[in-house]
Amino acid sequence: MTTSGADRDDPGESCHHPRTLAEVCRVARFDRHFSEPLDVAAIAEIAHMSVSYFSRRLRLVFCESPHQYLYRRRIERAKWLLRTSELPVTEIANAVGYASLGTFTRTFVRIVGETPTRHRARGPIGPIPGCIARAWNKDSTIGEASR
């Protein structure tokens, strides 16, 4: 375990603590499984942490509990699907992990402030600015990609 600032377990640390690469990687693994039922114990095991430590680290880095983080990630994906596809709202709800359209809609309204249908009515998402696309496609400089 490193002793960098982000790995300290000081309950007095603020929620705006900087992220470490390891922290982001752990969460990225968490993100790939966001449409599945939340199993904090399994995710914590993947991150080689206890459930309570994983929950504390996630809250410290993102200021959210694992459940809040999962809901937000699901709704972010749903927002993108609503504006980039013609899938029915029910299908999008199922695709992001909601078995109930009512629960999906209530969660969507609570987080976004409008219904999924109203959000879709905003129209398609515009093209990505060239500078963002270039930065996204730029080769990594930290050496994690195989060459």
Side-chain angles (χ1 to χ4, degrees), residues 23-36:
E23 198 87 49
V24 172
C25 290
R26 287 182 201 119
V27 173
R29 177 99 186 204
F30 183 45
D31 284 351
R32 280 182 260 160
H33 302 281
F34 70 88
S35 63
E36 299 171 6

Side-chain angles (χ1 to χ4, degrees), residues 3-25:
T3 57
S4 71
D7 289 329
R8 281 183 266 139
D9 194 19
D10 178 3
E13 291 175 311
S14 80
C15 286
H16 302 292
H17 201 72
R19 298 176 194 164
T20 65
L21 178 60
E23 198 87 49
V24 172
C25 290

Side-chain angles (χ1 to χ4, degrees), residues 1 26 29 41-51 53-54:
M1 176 123 329
R26 287 182 201 119
R29 177 99 186 204
I43 296 169
E45 188 177 324
I46 290 168
H48 304 288
M49 296 178 178
S50 71
V51 171
Y53 185 72
F54 176 77

Side-chain angles (χ1 to χ4, degrees), residues 35-143:
S35 63
E36 299 171 6
L38 180 62
D39 184 350
V40 177
I43 296 169
E45 188 177 324
I46 290 168
H48 304 288
M49 296 178 178
S50 71
V51 171
S52 60
Y53 185 72
F54 176 77
S55 296
R56 283 196 319 268
R57 295 304 304 166
L58 196 76
R59 185 176 295 276
L60 183 65
V61 173
F62 294 104
C63 303
E64 298 174 317
S65 71
H67 285 88
Q68 291 168 328
Y69 181 81
L70 179 68
Y71 297 152
R72 184 175 53 79
R73 296 294 297 139
R74 285 177 172 175
I75 296 303
E76 286 172 357
R77 175 73 175 156
K79 286 172 59 181
W80 185 81
L81 287 171
L82 284 164
R83 295 188 61 191
T84 60
S85 75
E86 295 185 13
L87 292 171
V89 174
T90 303
E91 220 171 290
I92 291 173
N94 291 333
V96 298
Y98 288 91
S100 161
L101 180 60
T103 302
F104 168 71
T105 301
R106 278 192 304 278
T107 306
F108 195 95
V109 168
R110 182 172 45 83
I111 293 174
V112 180
E114 61 186 358
T115 65
T117 305
R118 181 175 284 261
H119 185 75
R120 171 172 270 168
R122 292 174 176 237
I125 297 173
I128 298 172
C131 59
I132 301 294
R134 281 191 300 279
W136 183 262
N137 291 320
K138 184 177 176 183
D139 287 337
S140 171
T141 58
I142 57 173

